[in-house]
Amino acid sequence: MPNPVRAAAEAIKPWLVETRRAIHMQPELGYEEHETARRVAAALAEWGLEVRTGIARTGVVGVLRTGRPGPTLGIRADMDALPIEEANDVPYRSRAAGKMHACGHDAHTAMLLGAARLLAQNPQWLEGCGGSVKFIFQPAEEGRAGGRLMVEEGVLEDPRVDLAIAAHVLPSLPAGTVGTRSGPVLAASDKFNIKVRGKGSHAAQPHLSRDPILVAAHIITALQAIVSRNVEPFDAAVVSVTRLEAGTAYNIIPEEASLMGTLRTHRAETRQALKRRMEETIRGVASAFGAEAAFEFIPGYPPLVNSAQATGLIERAARGVLGEEKVVEMPLSMGGEDFAYIALERPAAMFRVGVRNEARGIVHGLHSNRFDLDEDALPVGSAVFAQAACAFLRDPRAFGV
Ligand SMILES: [Zn+2]
Ligand SMILES: [Zn+2]
């Protein structure tokens, strides 16, 4: 017998597709999600949810109450698009020049709206349960920490969220599958700038210089030894120098060189240790060459660590909706995700929704101008969210609440 939540999700698939395409055609960048937020708020209100708007500027929250006391499950989606020109020739192509939903946040928003609709229109699923489901639609996930602002503005209170889940589409997983994993799953994504100050000279008189370009080259090389010689082999970390700038002419050794790049780590301890090793390495190398170096570290999103309880909830829901064999181990990523700010405050987990369909050429990666997704995944995401809400409110103690 098919799972009733899945069957109900499949029945609203045309609406899910229409909603995702409407959002896809009108992509909005971080903190500019006015039209998307309006659409989300209108839909939630139509189904009788308690709606709050203007949280973290353009964020929206919907609360579905059973009317009986009990815990609250938070489910979060992100709404922002990316500054990329879409290269797909599809009827629902982006109508906004230079903007595109290339990270699937249009699908996340549609899936979460679908879950709200399913739960609002099938009150019998929550019969006898207490508590609430809080639907969190956040702005500005792409680099501008909308999730952190939502937390700062109290999204986890009133009613207090006890456990939170979220999903992100993944083009390397086939549509119809879901990936889960407990522990660290996405990376801290920090940025850094390095300024090397040497001494300029005529290029034919290098003995009069402290060549900052040579120093920068040694720094880049030495930075690549930090991960290989300081990180435990089964931990994960990346140091990438992504920009090097110095000099003006063939015959001048310049005064300065500047570098920038990113540090990615899965564990807070590794993150702190590597930040320290980077600083020591950069200063040490510069001083060996008689130059000076300034190191600026710009903290990004923290690592996302999935809690065992929240992962257990997702696994139970996904197996119920899809069957055991469609729930696979989630691949690790060194990408960043600002759901990490919610996960710092509450037991939380993110799962992956497969969207790949090779037969239809849907294979392109996140942030690609050719990214697209198999819309068969939309009811899957909605059904896992709705089933998780039912499972959680029915037996919160099974998930440590
Ligand atoms: Zn993204
Ligand atoms: Zn994303």
Side-chain angles (χ1 to χ4, degrees):
M1 201 179 79
N3 170 282
V5 175
R6 176 73 186 277
E10 293 297 338
I12 63 162
K13 185 179 161 194
W15 176 84
L16 286 168
V17 169
E18 185 193 317
T19 302
R20 179 256 164 171
R21 291 185 178 191
I23 298 169
H24 190 86
M25 285 191 279
Q26 235 178 325
E28 297 172 297
L29 301 181
Y31 297 121
E32 294 171 6
E33 304 90 337
H34 301 287
E35 190 48 39
T36 310
R38 193 203 53 74
R39 177 185 299 279
V40 165
L44 296 173
E46 188 188 325
W47 305 319
L49 276 76
E50 198 178 300
V51 181
R52 284 171 229 164
T53 58
I55 306 170
R57 300 189 223 172
T58 43
V60 181
V61 168
V63 182
L64 182 77
R65 294 183 194 267
T66 62
R68 291 171 291 274
T72 298
L73 177 70
I75 316 179
R76 169 275 204 180
D78 40 13
M79 303 189 290
D80 56 320
L82 285 160
I84 307 177
E85 180 75 21
E86 178 159 13
N88 292 316
D89 182 18
V90 288
Y92 50 89
R93 187 180 188 278
S94 167
R95 302 286 194 266
K99 299 178 198 172
M100 176 190 177
H101 271 290
C103 202
H105 300 185
D106 51 344
H108 304 162
T109 301
M111 285 172 190
L112 187 53
L113 276 179
R117 176 174 169 177
L118 290 171
L119 289 164
Q121 295 182 342
N122 294 277
Q124 73 280 8
W125 293 345
L126 293 174
E127 221 167 72
C129 299
S132 304
V133 185
K134 193 181 248 186
F135 300 90
I136 300 168
F137 296 86
Q138 75 153 78
E141 192 286 323
E142 298 287 357
R144 299 188 61 202
R148 185 178 63 199
L149 198 52
M150 293 285 277
V151 170
E152 285 168 3
E153 294 193 11
V155 77
L156 297 177
E157 304 300 333
D158 186 30
R160 186 182 192 277
V161 171
D162 295 286
L163 185 140
I165 59 172
H168 204 297
V169 298
L170 189 63
S172 62
L173 275 188
T177 60
V178 154
T180 69
R181 182 194 282 265
S182 175
V185 290
L186 283 147
S189 48
D190 303 315
K191 300 175 218 167
F192 61 84
N193 292 305
I194 302 166
K195 187 149 274 186
V196 179
R197 191 178 300 277
K199 183 160 168 280
S201 76
H202 196 293
Q205 297 172 311
H207 59 292
L208 300 179
S209 78
R210 301 279 188 208
D211 182 355
I213 294 180
L214 181 64
V215 178
H218 278 271
I219 287 175
I220 293 167
T221 307
L223 287 177
Q224 292 311 311
I226 289 182
V227 172
S228 76
R229 301 293 94 171
N230 292 272
V231 178
E232 200 265 321
F234 294 102
D235 193 0
V238 173
V239 177
S240 287
V241 175
T242 55
R243 184 180 159 108
L244 160 60
E245 196 178 26
T248 52
Y250 288 113
N251 53 2
I252 302 170
I253 292 174
E255 292 277 328
E256 279 184 4
S258 51
L259 308 171
M260 66 164 69
T262 184
L263 170 67
R264 303 293 173 115
T265 47
H266 272 159
R267 294 176 189 282
E269 315 83 74
T270 311
R271 185 189 196 188
Q272 286 316 314
L274 291 200
K275 178 189 168 197
R276 200 173 54 244
R277 286 301 290 139
M278 286 181 74
E279 179 143 33
E280 290 163 359
T281 300
I282 290 160
R283 289 200 200 289
V285 171
S287 112
F289 286 87
E292 280 173 20
F295 176 56
E296 183 194 13
F297 187 83
I298 304 160
Y301 297 164
L304 174 59
V305 182
N306 277 349
S307 92
Q309 293 100 325
T311 305
L313 173 64
I314 289 165
E315 285 176 351
R316 186 189 293 186
R319 287 183 185 132
V321 163
L322 296 167
E324 190 86 34
E325 71 285 358
K326 297 288 187 192
V327 183
V328 301
E329 185 168 65
M330 165 174 171
L332 290 170
S333 163
M334 298 311 283
E337 169 56 69
D338 83 348
F339 182 61
Y341 289 106
I342 288 179
L344 285 179
E345 302 293 326
R346 298 288 190 275
M350 171 170 271
F351 63 100
R352 294 291 203 165
V353 177
V355 293
R356 187 181 189 84
N357 185 328
E358 287 193 38
R360 292 179 44 207
I362 301 174
V363 297
H364 298 281
L366 298 172
H367 293 207
S368 157
N369 61 359
R370 306 207 76 91
F371 172 75
D372 201 354
L373 52 95
D374 184 341
E375 290 163 325
D376 284 354
L378 299 173
V380 170
S382 293
V384 174
F385 283 151
Q387 179 89 10
C390 296
F392 181 73
L393 294 191
R394 193 153 301 285
D395 186 13
R397 267 169 303 198
F399 309 103
V401 172

